[in-house]
Amino acid sequence: MSVRTDSSAAHRAGFACFVGRPNAGKSTLTNALVGTKVAITSNRPQTTRHTVRGIVHRPEAQLVLVDTPGLHKPRTLLGERLNDIVRTTWSEVDVIGFCLPADQKIGPGDRYIAGELAEIKKTPKVAIVTKTDLVDSKSLAAQLIAIDQLGKELGIEWAEIIPVSAVGDTQVSLLADLLVPLLPEGPALYPEGDLTDEPEQVMVAELIREAALEGVRDELPHSIAVVVEEMLPRADRPADKPLLDVHANVYIERPSQKGIIIGPKGKRLKEVGTKSRKHIEALLGTPVFLDLHVKVAKDWQRDPKQLRKLGF
């Protein structure tokens, strides 16, 4: 018997979001699915602030990934705003992927999120066990059983429970296979070739912020915000040798943090510039001149006016 592939199957398109406590592997998973770097990944929790959308193009479907900040018990005005963004996003997507790391037992943070998810009745939920490269098969089996149990306790019916490792690229395309049927039928939402609908300036700012976070002492992750003031093609360049001037400010909360970011004799800021410039050039496909300045925006996380100015 010959197997006929049904070419008349309807095209599906829709939005999925990954949720989970900070550092559960959501951004890394987004990047692995899209196949390029769109969400910033950092080994510090709580670094994603913008709803970055990665777009997975397939002949039969288009999956738009919405990356939300980690839901957490808020301590500042910024924290409260981030949680509001998360809940709004959850209510608007077609499928929710709940990320739980394979190497950590289910904790109070996971239960808090699962409890919130249980309130959202209509949206299908997929439990994704991330970072499976860090555990053996026995621990992985125990985690899968624990997640199944968690769903039963809270009345969540998982559409799927799937183990993945974005780092080892294990099961990543299978995850896309499982998410696609949960999307509504419909035409593509974005042109082929688009990988994200984030404005370029926001993505450039995120790349600079990621480089600035790297290797910085623990007290800084939330204190850094980056604003790209302007991106302009250099006027006097020949067409075959374009250069893009990018002017950006790195904002911190206190003058004492300035030295940490700039480093001795400006060495650290120079490294941040070199590192982020490479990523920006890869993203935009053009040589870049990056002009970086560090500025103090006093206690910006608690000040509504400054939060607005910095794009929150």
Side-chain angles (χ1 to χ4, degrees), residues 258-276:
K258 217 167 173 175
I260 300 173
I261 291 287
I262 294 171
K265 296 188 175 160
K267 186 166 173 268
R268 197 149 188 287
L269 189 64
K270 208 178 213 158
E271 281 168 11
V272 170
T274 307
K275 188 156 198 161
S276 54

PDB file of all heavy atoms in Angstrom, residues 258-276:
ATOM      1  N   LYS A 258      28.913  52.358  37.598  1.00  0.00           N
ATOM      2  CA  LYS A 258      29.524  52.799  36.348  1.00  0.00           C
ATOM      3  C   LYS A 258      30.879  52.123  36.124  1.00  0.00           C
ATOM      4  O   LYS A 258      31.165  51.604  35.049  1.00  0.00           O
ATOM      5  CB  LYS A 258      29.681  54.316  36.370  1.00  0.00           C
ATOM      6  CG  LYS A 258      29.445  54.956  35.034  1.00  0.00           C
ATOM      7  CD  LYS A 258      29.293  56.465  35.142  1.00  0.00           C
ATOM      8  CE  LYS A 258      29.233  57.039  33.732  1.00  0.00           C
ATOM      9  NZ  LYS A 258      28.973  58.459  33.714  1.00  0.00           N
ATOM     10  N   GLY A 259      31.679  52.116  37.195  1.00  0.00           N
ATOM     11  CA  GLY A 259      33.019  51.529  37.100  1.00  0.00           C
ATOM     12  C   GLY A 259      32.988  50.048  36.753  1.00  0.00           C
ATOM     13  O   GLY A 259      33.866  49.541  36.051  1.00  0.00           O
ATOM     14  N   ILE A 260      31.958  49.352  37.243  1.00  0.00           N
ATOM     15  CA  ILE A 260      31.847  47.900  36.975  1.00  0.00           C
ATOM     16  C   ILE A 260      31.643  47.671  35.483  1.00  0.00           C
ATOM     17  O   ILE A 260      32.252  46.798  34.879  1.00  0.00           O
ATOM     18  CB  ILE A 260      30.672  47.280  37.770  1.00  0.00           C
ATOM     19  CG1 ILE A 260      30.883  47.485  39.273  1.00  0.00           C
ATOM     20  CG2 ILE A 260      30.532  45.801  37.465  1.00  0.00           C
ATOM     21  CD1 ILE A 260      29.706  47.061  40.140  1.00  0.00           C
ATOM     22  N   ILE A 261      30.775  48.479  34.889  1.00  0.00           N
ATOM     23  CA  ILE A 261      30.459  48.317  33.459  1.00  0.00           C
ATOM     24  C   ILE A 261      31.631  48.763  32.579  1.00  0.00           C
ATOM     25  O   ILE A 261      31.972  48.109  31.599  1.00  0.00           O
ATOM     26  CB  ILE A 261      29.203  49.146  33.091  1.00  0.00           C
ATOM     27  CG1 ILE A 261      27.962  48.535  33.737  1.00  0.00           C
ATOM     28  CG2 ILE A 261      29.011  49.240  31.589  1.00  0.00           C
ATOM     29  CD1 ILE A 261      27.483  47.251  33.108  1.00  0.00           C
ATOM     30  N   ILE A 262      32.258  49.895  32.952  1.00  0.00           N
ATOM     31  CA  ILE A 262      33.336  50.441  32.112  1.00  0.00           C
ATOM     32  C   ILE A 262      34.627  49.648  32.280  1.00  0.00           C
ATOM     33  O   ILE A 262      35.337  49.380  31.323  1.00  0.00           O
ATOM     34  CB  ILE A 262      33.543  51.944  32.426  1.00  0.00           C
ATOM     35  CG1 ILE A 262      32.285  52.715  31.983  1.00  0.00           C
ATOM     36  CG2 ILE A 262      34.774  52.488  31.714  1.00  0.00           C
ATOM     37  CD1 ILE A 262      32.245  54.164  32.424  1.00  0.00           C
ATOM     38  N   GLY A 263      34.916  49.217  33.524  1.00  0.00           N
ATOM     39  CA  GLY A 263      36.117  48.429  33.792  1.00  0.00           C
ATOM     40  C   GLY A 263      37.366  49.290  33.828  1.00  0.00           C
ATOM     41  O   GLY A 263      37.334  50.466  33.449  1.00  0.00           O
ATOM     42  N   PRO A 264      38.501  48.704  34.288  1.00  0.00           N
ATOM     43  CA  PRO A 264      39.736  49.478  34.376  1.00  0.00           C
ATOM     44  C   PRO A 264      40.147  50.001  32.998  1.00  0.00           C
ATOM     45  O   PRO A 264      40.193  49.233  32.036  1.00  0.00           O
ATOM     46  CB  PRO A 264      40.764  48.499  34.936  1.00  0.00           C
ATOM     47  CG  PRO A 264      40.092  47.179  35.033  1.00  0.00           C
ATOM     48  CD  PRO A 264      38.641  47.326  34.745  1.00  0.00           C
ATOM     49  N   LYS A 265      40.393  51.297  32.908  1.00  0.00           N
ATOM     50  CA  LYS A 265      40.796  51.966  31.656  1.00  0.00           C
ATOM     51  C   LYS A 265      39.829  51.698  30.498  1.00  0.00           C
ATOM     52  O   LYS A 265      40.227  51.624  29.328  1.00  0.00           O
ATOM     53  CB  LYS A 265      42.210  51.541  31.251  1.00  0.00           C
ATOM     54  CG  LYS A 265      43.257  51.983  32.257  1.00  0.00           C
ATOM     55  CD  LYS A 265      44.646  51.721  31.758  1.00  0.00           C
ATOM     56  CE  LYS A 265      45.677  52.284  32.720  1.00  0.00           C
ATOM     57  NZ  LYS A 265      46.998  51.679  32.556  1.00  0.00           N
ATOM     58  N   GLY A 266      38.554  51.488  30.854  1.00  0.00           N
ATOM     59  CA  GLY A 266      37.537  51.304  29.803  1.00  0.00           C
ATOM     60  C   GLY A 266      37.586  49.949  29.112  1.00  0.00           C
ATOM     61  O   GLY A 266      36.897  49.705  28.123  1.00  0.00           O
ATOM     62  N   LYS A 267      38.386  49.015  29.670  1.00  0.00           N
ATOM     63  CA  LYS A 267      38.606  47.723  29.020  1.00  0.00           C
ATOM     64  C   LYS A 267      37.300  46.926  28.872  1.00  0.00           C
ATOM     65  O   LYS A 267      37.013  46.347  27.832  1.00  0.00           O
ATOM     66  CB  LYS A 267      39.625  46.929  29.838  1.00  0.00           C
ATOM     67  CG  LYS A 267      40.066  45.629  29.205  1.00  0.00           C
ATOM     68  CD  LYS A 267      41.311  45.077  29.895  1.00  0.00           C
ATOM     69  CE  LYS A 267      41.651  43.695  29.368  1.00  0.00           C
ATOM     70  NZ  LYS A 267      41.087  42.601  30.089  1.00  0.00           N
ATOM     71  N   ARG A 268      36.492  46.928  29.941  1.00  0.00           N
ATOM     72  CA  ARG A 268      35.290  46.099  29.919  1.00  0.00           C
ATOM     73  C   ARG A 268      34.275  46.605  28.884  1.00  0.00           C
ATOM     74  O   ARG A 268      33.691  45.834  28.123  1.00  0.00           O
ATOM     75  CB  ARG A 268      34.676  46.097  31.313  1.00  0.00           C
ATOM     76  CG  ARG A 268      33.726  45.012  31.464  1.00  0.00           C
ATOM     77  CD  ARG A 268      33.448  44.320  32.668  1.00  0.00           C
ATOM     78  NE  ARG A 268      32.594  43.246  32.167  1.00  0.00           N
ATOM     79  CZ  ARG A 268      31.364  43.440  31.783  1.00  0.00           C
ATOM     80  NH1 ARG A 268      30.823  44.597  31.862  1.00  0.00           N
ATOM     81  NH2 ARG A 268      30.659  42.436  31.303  1.00  0.00           N
ATOM     82  N   LEU A 269      34.077  47.936  28.861  1.00  0.00           N
ATOM     83  CA  LEU A 269      33.120  48.508  27.911  1.00  0.00           C
ATOM     84  C   LEU A 269      33.557  48.228  26.471  1.00  0.00           C
ATOM     85  O   LEU A 269      32.744  47.952  25.600  1.00  0.00           O
ATOM     86  CB  LEU A 269      32.968  50.011  28.142  1.00  0.00           C
ATOM     87  CG  LEU A 269      31.837  50.688  27.370  1.00  0.00           C
ATOM     88  CD1 LEU A 269      30.474  50.152  27.791  1.00  0.00           C
ATOM     89  CD2 LEU A 269      31.867  52.200  27.534  1.00  0.00           C
ATOM     90  N   LYS A 270      34.884  48.265  26.257  1.00  0.00           N
ATOM     91  CA  LYS A 270      35.430  47.963  24.936  1.00  0.00           C
ATOM     92  C   LYS A 270      35.069  46.523  24.533  1.00  0.00           C
ATOM     93  O   LYS A 270      34.642  46.258  23.399  1.00  0.00           O
ATOM     94  CB  LYS A 270      36.952  48.116  24.977  1.00  0.00           C
ATOM     95  CG  LYS A 270      37.552  48.490  23.639  1.00  0.00           C
ATOM     96  CD  LYS A 270      39.052  48.672  23.759  1.00  0.00           C
ATOM     97  CE  LYS A 270      39.547  49.749  22.813  1.00  0.00           C
ATOM     98  NZ  LYS A 270      40.815  50.302  23.251  1.00  0.00           N
ATOM     99  N   GLU A 271      35.225  45.581  25.495  1.00  0.00           N
ATOM    100  CA  GLU A 271      34.880  44.172  25.225  1.00  0.00           C
ATOM    101  C   GLU A 271      33.394  44.025  24.902  1.00  0.00           C
ATOM    102  O   GLU A 271      33.010  43.282  24.001  1.00  0.00           O
ATOM    103  CB  GLU A 271      35.223  43.301  26.441  1.00  0.00           C
ATOM    104  CG  GLU A 271      36.700  42.975  26.548  1.00  0.00           C
ATOM    105  CD  GLU A 271      37.062  42.368  27.912  1.00  0.00           C
ATOM    106  OE1 GLU A 271      36.133  42.022  28.686  1.00  0.00           O
ATOM    107  OE2 GLU A 271      38.272  42.257  28.196  1.00  0.00           O
ATOM    108  N   VAL A 272      32.560  44.748  25.682  1.00  0.00           N
ATOM    109  CA  VAL A 272      31.106  44.703  25.440  1.00  0.00           C
ATOM    110  C   VAL A 272      30.822  45.176  24.011  1.00  0.00           C
ATOM    111  O   VAL A 272      30.049  44.569  23.272  1.00  0.00           O
ATOM    112  CB  VAL A 272      30.357  45.605  26.460  1.00  0.00           C
ATOM    113  CG1 VAL A 272      28.886  45.764  26.080  1.00  0.00           C
ATOM    114  CG2 VAL A 272      30.461  45.029  27.867  1.00  0.00           C
ATOM    115  N   GLY A 273      31.493  46.264  23.598  1.00  0.00           N
ATOM    116  CA  GLY A 273      31.312  46.806  22.256  1.00  0.00           C
ATOM    117  C   GLY A 273      31.731  45.833  21.168  1.00  0.00           C
ATOM    118  O   GLY A 273      30.999  45.582  20.211  1.00  0.00           O
ATOM    119  N   THR A 274      32.915  45.232  21.353  1.00  0.00           N
ATOM    120  CA  THR A 274      33.445  44.302  20.341  1.00  0.00           C
ATOM    121  C   THR A 274      32.519  43.096  20.194  1.00  0.00           C
ATOM    122  O   THR A 274      32.166  42.685  19.088  1.00  0.00           O
ATOM    123  CB  THR A 274      34.850  43.813  20.768  1.00  0.00           C
ATOM    124  OG1 THR A 274      35.650  44.961  21.046  1.00  0.00           O
ATOM    125  CG2 THR A 274      35.506  42.989  19.686  1.00  0.00           C
ATOM    126  N   LYS A 275      32.127  42.543  21.338  1.00  0.00           N
ATOM    127  CA  LYS A 275      31.306  41.334  21.335  1.00  0.00           C
ATOM    128  C   LYS A 275      29.929  41.602  20.710  1.00  0.00           C
ATOM    129  O   LYS A 275      29.475  40.865  19.835  1.00  0.00           O
ATOM    130  CB  LYS A 275      31.133  40.871  22.777  1.00  0.00           C
ATOM    131  CG  LYS A 275      30.488  39.546  22.871  1.00  0.00           C
ATOM    132  CD  LYS A 275      30.840  38.859  24.164  1.00  0.00           C
ATOM    133  CE  LYS A 275      30.524  37.399  23.959  1.00  0.00           C
ATOM    134  NZ  LYS A 275      31.104  36.492  24.795  1.00  0.00           N
ATOM    135  N   SER A 276      29.260  42.668  21.176  1.00  0.00           N
ATOM    136  CA  SER A 276      27.913  42.922  20.659  1.00  0.00           C
ATOM    137  C   SER A 276      27.958  43.360  19.202  1.00  0.00           C
ATOM    138  O   SER A 276      27.060  43.056  18.429  1.00  0.00           O
ATOM    139  CB  SER A 276      27.170  43.948  21.520  1.00  0.00           C
ATOM    140  OG  SER A 276      27.913  45.130  21.657  1.00  0.00           O
TER     141      SER A 276
END
